[in-house]
Amino acid sequence: MSQVAEFPSTSEADKGQPRTVKALLIIRELILEGALPPGKRISELSVAERTGISRTPIRAALQRLEEEGLVETIPSGGFAVKSFSQQDVFDAIEIRGTLEGLAARLAAERGSMARLGPLNACLQELDEVVESAIATEEGFSRYVTANARLHALIVDMAESPTLERQIERAVSLPFASPSGFVMAQALMPESHRVLFVAQDQHRCVVEAIANREGARAEAIMQEHARLAGRNLRLALHHEKALERVPGGALIRKVR
C-alpha cells in the first residue's frame, strides 16, 4: 500500500476549494490509506495540525463522512473510523448491483439512443485495454478509468437524477464501487480471467440497451456486480492484494 502523502496547508492547496470539501477529501484519504485505523477515535486537533485546516471544517467533514458510512459517532463524543464485516461488503456490492441493474433497464427502456455513441466508444476502449490490463499495472489503471466511465454512461443514459443520487450513495463505500477490486486483480493471477468475463458482460449489457431489452440489461448488470464479490473472496486470501483495495484496511478479517 502506498504511504499517505504529506498534505499541503490550505494556503498552498487549491484556494478555490471550500475548506469543508478539502477536509473531507483529506480525511477520507487518510481513512482509506489506513492512516486512521478502524475503531480509533479521530482527533480533530491532530487532523488540524496534520492538514493545516481549522477544526470547524474538519468537524463538518466528519459529519459528512458519517453520512457516507466511513465514520461513526462514539458514546464518549466525536467520531471513530468504522470497520466492516465481510458480509457488510457483500451486501454493499449487492445493493450497488441492484441499483445499477435498474439503471441499465431504464437506459434500455427510455434512454436516448443518441447516447449509444459514447457508450460504444468506451466499450471499444475497454476491449483494447483488457489485454494490457493483464500485462501491466498501468493497464489496470487505464481499465479502472474506462470502467468507471462506462458505468457512469449507463447511469446517465437512465435519465433519472433520483436513481443517480442513490447510486452515488451506494458507492460512497469505496469497496462497493464498480472498480473497487480492479487494482487488486493486478496481484492475483487467478482473477485475471474475471476481467474477460466482466468485459463480455459489458458488451452484453450495451447490446441489450441498444436492443431495448430492459429485463435482460437489468439481469446482466446485477450479475456483473457480483464479480466484485468473487474478487473479494480472492482478495481476502491474498494479503497484498487486499492492500490494493481502497478501504481494504476497514474490512474485518475472520480468524
Side-chain angles (χ1 to χ4, degrees):
M1 181 182 293
S2 61
Q3 297 297 313
V4 178
E6 290 297 323
F7 292 98
S9 68
T10 51
S11 61
E12 298 170 323
D14 180 8
K15 295 180 177 60
Q17 191 178 53
R19 292 163 68 85
T20 297
V21 174
K22 193 174 302 180
L24 175 70
L25 295 175
I26 291 174
I27 297 170
R28 183 191 287 134
E29 185 68 15
L30 290 170
I31 291 171
L32 299 185
E33 289 281 354
L36 298 175
K40 184 175 180 180
R41 186 180 186 279
I42 300 172
S43 167
E44 294 177 9
L45 179 59
S46 176
V47 174
E49 292 174 346
R50 185 169 190 166
T51 63
I53 300 175
S54 64
R55 295 178 68 175
T56 298
I58 287 174
R59 190 172 300 115
L62 289 169
Q63 291 171 345
R64 290 269 298 276
L65 287 167
E66 182 185 26
E67 294 173 4
E68 290 185 11
L70 284 177
V71 305
E72 57 188 350
T73 55
I74 53 179
S76 59
F79 299 88
V81 178
K82 191 174 179 180
S83 66
F84 299 86
S85 70
Q86 293 176 20
Q87 190 60 56
D88 290 333
V89 183
F90 287 120
D91 288 349
I93 292 169
E94 189 71 17
I95 290 168
R96 191 256 295 175
T98 298
L99 292 171
E100 286 192 328
L102 176 58
R105 177 165 69 81
L106 294 179
E109 293 176 352
R110 69 188 191 193
S112 170
M113 290 297 108
R115 296 188 179 187
L116 277 176
L119 200 55
N120 281 314
C122 188
L123 184 64
Q124 183 176 352
E125 180 182 352
L126 279 165
D127 276 334
E128 295 170 355
V129 82
V130 162
E131 291 293 338
S132 63
I134 290 178
T136 67
E137 185 166 326
E138 180 184 359
F140 272 93
S141 295
R142 289 180 58 203
Y143 182 90
V144 167
T145 301
N147 181 61
R149 184 164 69 252
L150 183 79
H151 282 251
L153 286 169
I154 291 172
V155 173
D156 187 55
M157 195 170 175
E159 300 178 352
S160 173
T162 301
L163 178 58
E164 185 173 359
R165 285 194 297 271
Q166 294 304 315
I167 291 175
E168 288 175 354
R169 183 176 178 84
V171 302
S172 63
L173 297 176
F175 38 69
S177 73
S179 299
F181 291 88
V182 172
M183 293 309 295
Q185 289 177 270
L187 299 179
M188 297 188 299
E190 64 269 36
S191 71
H192 286 171
R193 65 180 180 274
V194 177
L195 281 180
F196 290 99
V197 175
Q199 183 57 9
D200 186 59
Q201 290 176 338
H202 286 153
R203 194 176 296 107
C204 289
V205 76
V206 171
E207 177 186 84
I209 290 171
N211 292 335
R212 298 291 192 187
E213 298 172 326
R216 179 182 175 223
E218 182 173 28
I220 294 169
M221 207 65 180
Q222 288 177 337
E223 193 61 33
H224 179 63
R226 293 186 181 115
L227 287 179
R230 185 185 305 181
N231 281 327
L232 170 61
R233 290 184 181 91
L234 291 171
L236 288 171
H237 294 90
H238 196 302
E239 186 175 344
K240 290 295 183 182
L242 191 60
E243 290 178 356
R244 302 296 302 278
V245 177
L250 308 181
I251 302 173
R252 297 195 296 272
K253 299 174 181 63
V254 177
R255 298 186 184 280

